[in-house]
Amino acid sequence: MGGRTGCGGARARCLAAATRSIFVALLSTLTLPVPACQSPPEHVTYSFPQGFLWGASVAGFQVDPGCPTLDASSCVDTRSDWYVWVTDPDLVADPATYLSGEPLSHGPGHWELFEHDYDLAKTELGLNAFRLSIEWSRIFPEPTLGVDDPEALAELASAENLAHYRAELTALRDRGVTPLVTLHHYTLPVWLHDAAGCHWDLDHCSPRGWLDREVIVHEIAKYAGFVARELGDLVDLWATQNEPFAVVLAGYLRPGPDRTNPPGVSLAFEEVKAVSLAMIEAHARMVDAVRFFDVVDADGDGRASQVGLVFALTPAYPADPGSPLDQAAAENVAYLYNWAFLDAVVAGSLDASLLGTQTPREDLADRMDFLGINYYAVVRVEGEPSAVFPALSPLSTFNPFTLTVDYETPSGIYDALLLASLRYPGLPLYITENGTPDVDSPDSQRDYMATHLAWVSRAWRDGADVRGYFYWSLLDNYEWNHGMSMRFGLYSVDPLDPQKTRVPRPAAQDYARIIRAGRIPDDLAPRLGP
Ligand code: IFM
């Protein structure tokens, strides 16, 4: 196993670069002008804190379909906007949606095979935690509009699907695996979002998803509270939303080949900011609802619930570290892509117009018990002398459409953890996703995992309160608009295999060894380059 890029082989230089990056970060509104070195020092024993959560992550829409024997009517949820998005022939035919057209039946069928998957998770990998999502449209296939009383909501809920989730969560608990439940992982019920109608004609479509701000904030809080009431005896760790910024960016600002979320439109900046604000408010109201309704301490730690948000935290570096324009632009990217949203949900400091000035909002503050960080990439930024899109923000002194996204910088996970620690002291952190689709080149997934984990360990040693790591993903799954063409699984699943057999990749064995040892065994530990 080798680190992908070395840092000159000098331990002192590595440490100096890391330390410098932290202090410069602190002094410059918490962005990183200089990337930390690429490989951790060789001598470090990569260990992890006591009680560390070792997990893997999945999302319902991505893993549930494709059941070997169950009828598609129970295996596939046809009531979500994403179902419409990936199956509507006109949407699939529109090049602007970048949809693969892959049938959902090619998915790994976790809805049916969950007991088997949790056996693998426990007995083969040794996981003590697992992140899954509950699908809103499975709980409430029909509208809940105008119904606020929990007993009346219970009448509307799908008893069958609630029983299914209870069985899944019980299967985890029975195996001694702590569930972390995401309540909103991209999908909305069709009765709140007409994905096709809004893609073709946003002005006249109905319902309008995140654009119907008051409706959606109210309804998602009701849904979150209902799930917490029904399943809170099995769950203590809740994430309100997954990667809200991706919903805003790929759904409402700039859908593109990398990701399109429904409705896949490019709105005026004012409307984009309104969507972002809706998601911020939704988070706060969901937290209130979960805290109110989850009254059972499932794991006996004295707390019935801990509620956080999962965010793709992206460190930003100047393309030319010596250029003041690039440095300023990198700070602005860090603010607009990360902190503007996170400051609102963590501290209740809201900058709704993205002017760079924040106003306290009491009803948003103190709504984060932890931050889930999804780490995949860093960005490198070239600066402009003035705002490229003043109507978006005076801070847009960079072109958001031509940023260089770099997926090959494992030290970015360290920077993400340290930056979050410095900005939000005392807030527990989890890596809720980290993984690579590059699974079939020899050792790349193994290399990826060991190197990123080494940096997580290093971040912990340097003071980050990181409490768990969830690999993305347990299984090959339906990667949104890409279908099954991007595979992230520790277990491969052939989309055309009628049995959907799970076959471990070599990284699965590595992960099991790391978990068993509670550290990265020496033969797996990344080495410095020449
Ligand atoms: O598959 C996705 C997941 O749903 C959200 N985070 C990124 C993953 C890989 O693209």
Side-chain angles (χ1 to χ4, degrees):
M1 308 284 300
R4 285 191 185 160
T5 20
C7 65
R11 177 181 165 242
R13 238 183 91 198
C14 286
L15 289 171
T19 312
R20 187 175 68 241
S21 70
I22 293 164
F23 284 107
V24 180
L26 196 53
L27 293 173
S28 62
T29 63
L30 303 172
T31 183
L32 287 180
V34 191
C37 57
Q38 300 291 302
S39 295
E42 272 179 278
H43 76 288
V44 172
T45 300
Y46 302 110
S47 54
F48 298 87
Q50 279 290 324
F52 197 70
L53 293 189
W54 294 101
S57 283
V58 297
F61 177 84
Q62 296 180 269
V63 289
D64 287 341
C67 303
T69 66
L70 268 188
D71 194 76
S73 63
S74 71
C75 179
V76 179
D77 171 23
T78 58
R79 300 292 294 159
S80 84
D81 60 346
W82 263 97
Y83 174 82
V84 174
W85 187 242
V86 302
T87 58
D88 179 301
D90 293 333
L91 288 173
V92 172
D94 178 7
T97 61
Y98 300 95
L99 287 162
S100 67
E102 178 132 27
L104 281 165
S105 58
H106 289 182
H110 175 76
W111 189 257
E112 178 175 348
L113 300 177
F114 70 87
E115 292 271 5
H116 175 57
D117 290 339
Y118 295 154
D119 277 342
L120 298 176
K122 181 65 189 178
T123 56
E124 288 196 0
L125 299 178
L127 302 188
N128 61 7
F130 193 79
R131 175 173 171 241
L132 68 159
S133 76
I134 286 180
E135 297 295 290
W136 184 355
S137 44
R138 287 218 197 243
I139 299 290
F140 291 118
E142 301 303 326
T144 54
L145 303 161
V147 181
D148 287 354
D149 172 50
E151 299 304 331
L153 283 174
E155 296 288 312
L156 287 175
S158 160
E160 191 190 332
N161 290 342
L162 259 179
H164 173 97
Y165 285 123
R166 175 158 288 282
E168 268 209 61
L169 293 164
T170 304
L172 287 169
R173 286 276 177 213
D174 286 350
R175 289 163 176 79
V177 177
T178 299
L180 192 173
V181 168
T182 313
L183 289 161
H184 170 67
H185 196 121
Y186 295 167
T187 55
L188 295 176
V190 288
W191 50 267
L192 273 177
H193 190 206
D194 174 7
C198 291
H199 177 71
W200 299 120
D201 184 0
L202 194 68
D203 289 339
H204 299 102
C205 70
S206 175
R208 288 158 47 94
W210 286 104
L211 288 166
D212 290 336
R213 172 169 144 203
E214 277 183 28
V215 175
I216 200 164
V217 170
H218 186 69
E219 295 304 314
I220 203 169
K222 262 162 46 182
Y223 151 70
F226 180 77
V227 172
R229 186 184 100 131
E230 295 296 320
L231 300 172
D233 58 321
L234 294 165
V235 183
D236 284 352
L237 269 180
W238 302 93
T240 55
Q241 304 168 13
N242 176 75
E243 297 177 358
F245 199 64
V247 173
V248 177
L249 216 60
Y252 295 92
L253 181 60
R254 199 180 188 237
D258 282 353
R259 175 69 59 73
T260 48
N261 279 35
V265 293
S266 299
L267 293 183
F269 292 131
E270 280 314 308
E271 291 172 298
V272 174
K273 288 186 243 183
V275 171
S276 181
L277 184 60
M279 298 197 81
I280 289 169
E281 291 186 337
H283 165 79
R285 301 292 71 83
M286 291 170 85
V287 172
D288 290 345
V290 173
R291 285 179 179 166
F292 184 80
F293 280 107
D294 179 359
V295 290
V296 184
D297 175 6
D299 59 14
D301 71 350
R303 294 184 71 175
S305 70
Q306 291 175 64
V307 201
L309 176 90
V310 168
F311 197 86
L313 209 164
T314 310
Y317 308 126
D320 172 1
S323 152
L325 269 189
D326 292 4
Q327 287 172 12
E331 283 176 23
N332 291 340
V333 169
Y335 181 76
L336 294 174
Y337 280 52
N338 303 308
W339 313 127
F341 197 100
L342 286 174
D343 287 355
V345 293
V346 176
S349 303
L350 182 66
D351 179 4
S353 306
L354 300 180
L355 297 172
T357 47
Q358 301 181 336
T359 314
R361 274 265 307 259
E362 190 107 334
D363 64 327
L364 302 178
D366 193 22
R367 262 65 177 198
M368 283 282 271
D369 297 326
F370 68 86
L371 172 63
I373 296 175
N374 289 356
Y375 176 75
Y376 291 96
V378 300
V379 289
R380 297 181 198 283
V381 191
E382 283 178 38
E384 302 284 342
S386 56
V388 175
F389 295 110
L392 171 67
S393 167
L395 303 177
S396 63
T397 59
F398 57 92
N399 188 337
F401 303 146
T402 57
L403 284 179
T404 305
V405 183
D406 170 358
Y407 293 92
E408 307 261 331
T409 300
S411 59
I413 202 168
Y414 171 96
D415 291 342
L417 285 165
L418 266 288
L419 287 171
S421 303
L422 290 167
R423 197 163 181 107
Y424 309 121
L427 187 68
L429 306 173
Y430 295 89
I431 296 295
T432 35
E433 286 182 28
N434 175 234
T436 175
D438 195 15
V439 285
D440 291 326
S441 23
D443 288 347
S444 64
Q445 192 187 29
R446 304 180 66 204
D447 219 7
Y448 183 98
M449 174 189 280
T451 313
H452 283 78
L453 271 171
W455 280 108
V456 171
S457 164
R458 176 92 182 277
W460 170 59
R461 289 185 159 233
D462 287 351
D465 183 7
V466 52
R467 300 189 179 188
Y469 174 89
F470 294 74
Y471 192 78
W472 184 272
S473 180
L474 180 71
L475 307 166
D476 286 348
N477 58 51
Y478 199 94
E479 176 60 17
W480 307 109
N481 51 300
H482 300 279
M484 299 298 293
S485 66
M486 285 174 86
R487 316 257 184 107
F488 286 79
L490 291 169
Y491 289 84
S492 75
V493 185
D494 178 349
L496 300 178
D497 170 12
Q499 304 308 316
K500 301 296 166 77
T501 310
R502 278 75 167 121
V503 180
R505 291 198 168 92
Q509 276 116 32
D510 288 358
Y511 199 28
R513 287 186 57 210
I514 292 167
I515 294 170
R516 216 168 28 244
R519 58 183 281 272
I520 305 181
D522 292 346
D523 62 310
L524 298 181
R527 304 273 173 238
L528 291 179

